[in-house]
């Protein structure tokens, strides 16, 4: 998401599994700059959000990307990857 010269990533979720899940939301900008946020979606069917801190960006809009990953419970090295979703850059308006 962008507003003016600020960029951030937001994740909307609903954990209807009844089980503990973990998620990582990563915002990647030009030049290798990365902001990472760890979220723990509550185990109920209510919608929720996670949002990275808003950071200044001097790059053109659409130059940052975001990736959200959800993993199951258990030790990190053994937890199954359940979902990975990423943003896409807006198509070039020139067609």
């Amino acid at each position: 998401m962008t507003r003016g010269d600020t960029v951030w990533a937001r994740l909307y979720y609903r954990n209807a599994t009844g089980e503990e899940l973990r998620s990582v939301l990563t915002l990647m900008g030009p030049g290798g700059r990365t902001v990472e946020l760890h979220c723990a979606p509550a185990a109920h069917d209510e919608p929720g959000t996670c949002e990275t801190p808003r950071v200044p960006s001097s790059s053109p809009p659409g130059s940052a990307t975001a990736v959200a990953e959800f993993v199951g419970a258990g030790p990190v090295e053994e937890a199954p990857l359940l979902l990975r979703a990423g943003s896409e850059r807006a198509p070039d308006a020139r067609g």
Side-chain angles (χ1 to χ4, degrees):
M1 301 184 75
T2 60
R3 180 173 290 148
D5 63 351
T6 304
V7 64
W8 69 99
R10 181 181 296 158
L11 165 67
Y12 296 93
Y13 65 85
R14 177 174 275 160
N15 180 6
T17 66
E19 298 178 17
E20 175 189 345
L21 297 177
R22 292 184 304 244
S23 68
V24 178
L25 178 58
T26 306
L27 174 65
M28 296 165 286
R33 294 180 14 175
T34 301
V35 176
E36 189 174 273
L37 177 70
H38 295 261
C39 303
H44 55 72
D45 196 21
E46 296 300 318
T49 61
C50 290
E51 190 171 288
T52 64
R54 297 173 186 215
V55 294
S57 175
S58 59
S59 300
S63 60
T65 58
V67 174
E69 295 178 308
F70 283 85
V71 296
V76 172
E77 58 278 348
E78 297 174 15
L81 176 63
L82 302 174
L83 173 70
R84 176 179 290 145
S87 65
E88 291 187 27
R89 292 195 171 115
D92 189 346
R94 293 175 286 178

